[in-house]
Amino acid sequence: MSFVAPPGYQPIYGPTIPYLGPIHGGLREGMSIYLQGSIPESITRFFINLLCGESESSDIALHFNPRFDGWDKVVFNSCQDGTWQSEEKIRSMPFQKGQVFEMVIIVTSQGYQISVNGNEFHTFQHRIPFERVRAMQIAGDVSIQTINVIGVSLPEHSGFQGMGGQPIYNPPVPYSNMIPGGMYPKRTIIIRGMVPYGAQRICINFMVSRSRDIAFHLNPRVREGIVVRNSMIGGTWGQEDRDILICRFEVGTKGLRCL
């Protein structure tokens, strides 16, 4: 089985550090940036910048800079017209030497809400409009496995539309909704999200609205390390299909991709 994401939804795997890459379509409220990485034992510092252009000299809307210097801290700042503004120092360190991490940057109306390993860490208030952000820069003592922009703005010509023509961002879970027009050949549904620490299983069902039969049941079981697929007709489950779940998945109408 294979699944190819539409343009603008492709995560970046194993980028070379230092890294400088575009955020296609820029940022808007409700979007998030998800990073997986690891910290070396010999770390001194690293940084993540959200840039207002695609060059290192661009204004910096968010400068996130963990420093392991004996007085461990994370420094937040911004830079405009080549001039650094006032630092915000958080004297707490959410990262550990020699350990992997998951980090999420959520764009809110107030600022950039930073969470590390499932724990909210700090919100950096906007100093430069987030609509100006066009790229991300990462450098220093860090290894990055995945960069994933969730809720990305797609070009109008990309051909992708969400439920009823518009994407749905950050819906409450459990979630239930109609699929306008139903399913048909080559229709694709994109689901992006983050699996929190301690999660046991996830369930995604494509249901027949009148009978409540389940045409497609997708059930990643995180602790068991498997993905179960099934259907239920007339209240009776069919025979399960099982695959090994290695670390993450992407789902579309054509199938499941495990990486």
Side-chain angles (χ1 to χ4, degrees):
M1 293 174 294
S2 63
F3 167 63
V4 179
Y9 271 81
Q10 189 63 44
I12 298 167
Y13 301 110
T16 301
I17 304 299
Y19 167 82
L20 176 61
I23 298 176
H24 298 289
L27 295 180
R28 64 170 174 268
E29 185 179 350
M31 290 178 62
S32 58
I33 301 170
Y34 171 64
L35 301 103
Q36 290 178 307
S38 59
I39 303 295
E41 291 284 355
S42 58
I43 184 174
T44 56
R45 62 178 63 188
F46 73 94
F47 68 80
I48 299 171
N49 288 338
L50 296 184
L51 302 174
C52 298
E54 296 187 23
S55 71
E56 295 183 1
S57 61
S58 303
D59 289 347
I60 302 172
L62 169 67
H63 174 69
F64 175 84
N65 180 206
R67 300 178 183 177
F68 290 78
D69 54 8
W71 295 272
D72 294 355
K73 57 185 170 292
V74 178
V75 174
F76 291 82
N77 208 340
S78 58
C79 182
Q80 195 162 11
D81 298 325
T83 302
W84 287 100
Q85 299 175 336
S86 59
E87 291 185 342
E88 292 182 17
K89 295 181 181 179
I90 309 301
R91 299 192 180 277
S92 175
M93 180 57 67
F95 305 97
Q96 295 184 24
K97 294 182 179 180
Q99 299 293 316
V100 298
F101 68 87
E102 293 182 342
M103 176 177 167
V104 182
I105 304 171
I106 301 175
V107 182
T108 72
S109 59
Q110 290 77 34
Y112 300 101
Q113 180 180 312
I114 313 293
S115 296
V116 179
N117 295 335
N119 299 311
E120 187 172 335
F121 179 67
H122 181 66
T123 297
F124 180 72
Q125 302 292 322
H126 293 303
R127 299 176 180 177
I128 298 173
F130 60 79
E131 293 89 350
R132 291 185 55 199
V133 171
R134 289 294 178 268
M136 172 182 287
Q137 180 186 23
I138 304 174
D141 304 321
V142 68
S143 175
I144 299 295
Q145 280 73 56
T146 305
I147 302 173
N148 194 356
V149 180
I150 302 172
V152 66
S153 299
L154 294 178
E156 291 183 2
H157 61 269
S158 68
F160 172 77
Q161 290 184 323
M163 304 295 190
Q166 294 296 324
I168 299 170
Y169 300 109
N170 302 316
V173 177
Y175 170 79
S176 178
N177 201 356
M178 300 293 292
I179 301 176
M183 298 300 295
Y184 46 80
K186 296 186 179 181
R187 186 168 200 182
T188 302
I189 293 179
I190 309 297
I191 301 173
R192 290 289 190 194
M194 183 181 68
V195 179
Y197 279 90
Q200 298 187 29
R201 59 179 59 192
I202 305 160
C203 177
I204 300 171
N205 291 329
F206 288 1
M207 305 185 70
V208 181
S209 59
R210 291 187 178 181
S211 66
R212 308 305 290 173
D213 288 344
I214 299 175
F216 177 48
H217 170 73
L218 176 68
N219 179 208
R221 300 178 183 177
V222 180
R223 291 197 175 182
E224 297 177 51
I226 60 173
V227 176
V228 173
R229 298 181 304 279
N230 208 338
S231 61
M232 186 179 72
I233 301 174
T236 301
W237 286 102
Q239 183 176 354
E240 291 183 346
D241 289 337
R242 295 186 172 214
D243 279 337
I244 296 174
L245 174 64
I246 297 176
C247 62
R248 68 182 298 276
F249 67 91
E250 294 180 343
V251 59
T253 53
K254 294 183 180 180
L256 178 71
R257 180 186 180 193
C258 295
L259 302 173

